[in-house]
Amino acid sequence: MEIRRYEPKDEKGWVRCRVLSFLDSAYFDNVLRQKEAYENPSIELVAVVEGEIAGLLELEYEVEEGTICSRGKGLGGMIWHIAVHPDFQRRGIGVQLLREAEKLAQEVGIHYLEAWTRDDEWVNNWYEKNGFNNVQSYLHVFMDGKEELQSSIANKMDDLHIVQAFAHYAGDDIEKVKKSFKRVHECICYDKQLM
Ligand SMILES: CC(C)(COP(=O)(O)OP(=O)(O)OC[C@H]1O[C@@H](n2cnc3c(N)ncnc32)[C@H](O)[C@@H]1OP(=O)(O)O)[C@@H](O)C(=O)NCCC(=O)NCCS
């Protein structure tokens, strides 16, 4: 297994790896059809096994405090994507991608990392095992079907019938929201001090 910088020729493998990695997670329907590009400098890594992309990590970092990350002091690096292909999970690839990203982030003067993830217990365990602290959360609410939509969204345009909706809930009445909708995820912020 080799960990190296992403190259444009990796894009097809990157997209496939990301889609498959997320299938068993709370992000199963968060599908990207091309790799993201970033406004700020970034560390973009892939793990390659026998020529195939088996894992990826993307970290965009600040050159000015508070421009990407939501908390912390000093320059932050946001992990936008970390994913390991299901056939290669639990073999240490995620940890090795993280270690390499942390080394490179420290070399460019990044003080801390931030990452957001939903409520998959195994993924949260992975962050905690790797030195991240759970610092904040809010809810991702998916609304589907007449009952859920009528109770929450007023339809303001004639003949426009909302079929599905997605919302962020940042209030305190968490139990009420969880009871009102079938699909609600906690979205959790992790951070990790690097220096
Ligand atoms: C989270 C993820 C990146 C970890 O990468 P990985 O290479 O599989 O994990 P590592 O080998 O570095 O670490 C293994 C540890 O992660 C956790 N873990 C990983 N996959 C797991 C699984 N399928 N079931 C339970 N625990 C799991 C466990 O704590 C495991 O330790 P253990 O084997 O001693 O119990 C990877 O599993 C993944 O791609 N998950 C789906 C995508 C995702 O949710 N990304 C983060 C959200 S933005």
Side-chain angles (χ1 to χ4, degrees):
M1 197 267 296
E2 177 199 9
I3 290 186
R4 60 161 173 80
R5 300 262 188 184
Y6 170 86
E7 296 166 15
K9 69 174 167 62
D10 298 325
E11 184 165 21
K12 196 170 165 190
W14 188 100
V15 169
R16 287 182 173 180
C17 177
R18 188 186 172 283
V19 170
L20 291 173
S21 305
F22 279 78
L23 273 184
D24 290 330
S25 81
Y27 284 102
F28 62 91
D29 50 356
N30 179 253
V31 173
L32 293 186
R33 297 180 70 198
Q34 58 189 41
K35 200 185 89 68
E36 282 196 85
Y38 304 100
E39 275 176 30
N40 295 282
S42 56
I43 294 165
E44 302 175 11
L45 299 175
V46 287
V48 183
V49 178
E50 293 174 4
E52 301 292 329
I53 305 297
L56 56 97
L57 187 153
E58 308 252 301
L59 187 160
E60 182 183 13
Y61 59 88
E62 294 175 344
V63 285
E64 196 183 321
E65 276 184 42
T67 48
I68 302 172
C69 296
S70 57
R71 45 189 309 122
K73 286 201 181 103
L75 295 173
M78 179 69 87
I79 299 180
W80 289 119
H81 301 284
I82 170 143
V84 173
H85 187 294
D87 292 348
F88 296 96
Q89 286 177 5
R90 267 181 134 162
R91 296 187 197 179
I93 293 179
V95 174
Q96 289 180 64
L97 281 164
L98 177 67
R99 281 199 198 121
E100 182 64 13
E102 287 179 356
K103 189 186 98 193
L104 297 171
Q106 279 170 311
E107 283 172 14
V108 292
I110 299 306
H111 297 95
Y112 71 96
L113 298 182
E114 184 173 315
W116 291 80
T117 194
R118 286 187 186 154
D119 41 12
D120 294 298
E121 199 183 338
W122 53 288
V123 177
N124 284 276
N125 287 343
W126 184 87
Y127 276 111
E128 279 165 24
K129 260 184 171 172
N130 288 300
F132 284 82
N133 302 304
N134 174 336
V135 285
Q136 176 189 344
S137 72
Y138 67 101
L139 299 180
H140 282 181
V141 184
F142 288 82
M143 296 163 206
D144 204 347
K146 234 180 183 177
E147 229 173 83
E148 289 195 350
L149 288 157
Q150 276 176 357
S151 67
S152 53
I153 304 178
N155 197 343
K156 291 195 175 155
M157 198 185 284
D158 287 346
D159 299 325
L160 182 76
H161 306 287
I162 300 169
V163 177
Q164 285 178 324
F166 172 66
H168 287 178
Y169 178 77
D172 295 326
D173 216 344
I174 289 167
E175 285 315 310
K176 184 179 166 201
V177 176
K178 284 186 174 173
K179 270 190 201 141
S180 306
F181 304 98
K182 282 191 218 75
R183 185 174 171 202
V184 178
H185 295 291
E186 198 178 348
C187 184
I188 303 152
C189 177
Y190 283 97
D191 73 9
K192 179 174 182 178
Q193 209 62 38
L194 293 182
M195 50 171 128

